[in-house]
Amino acid sequence: MRVLYLAIVISQLCVSATSAEDANGQVACAATAFKNYLTASQVFRDRHGVEDQIAQRRLQERFCLRFAQCVARVQGQSAGPSPSGFADCLREEAIELYKLYKD
C-alpha cells in the first residue's frame, strides 16, 4: 500500500511539475524521503515496547513532514506543506502500522 501511495503521489508530482528538471528534483525528493523512512523503520521490526512505539511515531512524523515538503515544493506553496497533506500521510502510515501489527 505504501508503495502504491508513493507511486500515485510521484506521478502527480511529475504531471504538475513545470519542467523535466523540476520533476526529477521533486520525484527524487519524495523518493529519497520514502527510502530513508523505510530504512529507518526496519529498526522497529521486532521492537514493540511503548518507547519503541513513540520513537516509531516520531519517525513517521519526520517522514510525513519531509514528504509534505516535497509535495508543497512541487505545488509552489511558499507557505510550506499543507496540514492536510501531512495529516493524510500520517493517516496512511497509521493504517499500514495497524495492518502490520494486526497480522
Side-chain angles (χ1 to χ4, degrees):
M1 183 69 173
R2 288 182 195 169
V3 175
L4 177 62
Y5 177 71
L6 179 64
I8 290 169
V9 171
I10 288 175
S11 68
Q12 289 174 345
L13 296 177
C14 291
V15 170
S16 66
T18 57
S19 72
E21 185 175 308
D22 286 344
N24 289 339
Q26 289 133 4
V27 169
C29 176
T32 299
F34 192 66
K35 179 182 172 190
N36 292 342
Y37 172 66
L38 290 178
T39 301
S41 293
Q42 294 302 312
V43 170
F44 301 104
R45 177 173 273 172
D46 297 319
R47 297 168 56 185
H48 305 290
V50 173
E51 294 297 323
D52 296 320
Q53 290 178 32
I54 292 169
Q56 189 172 23
R57 173 62 182 209
R58 298 295 176 253
L59 178 63
Q60 291 171 346
E61 291 168 351
R62 286 190 304 273
F63 161 68
C64 287
L65 176 60
R66 183 68 188 125
F67 195 78
Q69 289 170 334
C70 293
V71 172
R73 192 172 73 184
V74 169
Q75 296 171 348
Q77 297 172 351
S78 60
S82 76
S84 64
F86 176 74
D88 289 345
C89 177
L90 282 178
R91 184 178 55 248
E92 286 295 320
E93 291 309 308
I95 290 168
E96 288 297 319
L97 194 59
Y98 172 77
K99 289 177 183 176
L100 178 67
Y101 287 136
K102 183 180 156 192
D103 294 337

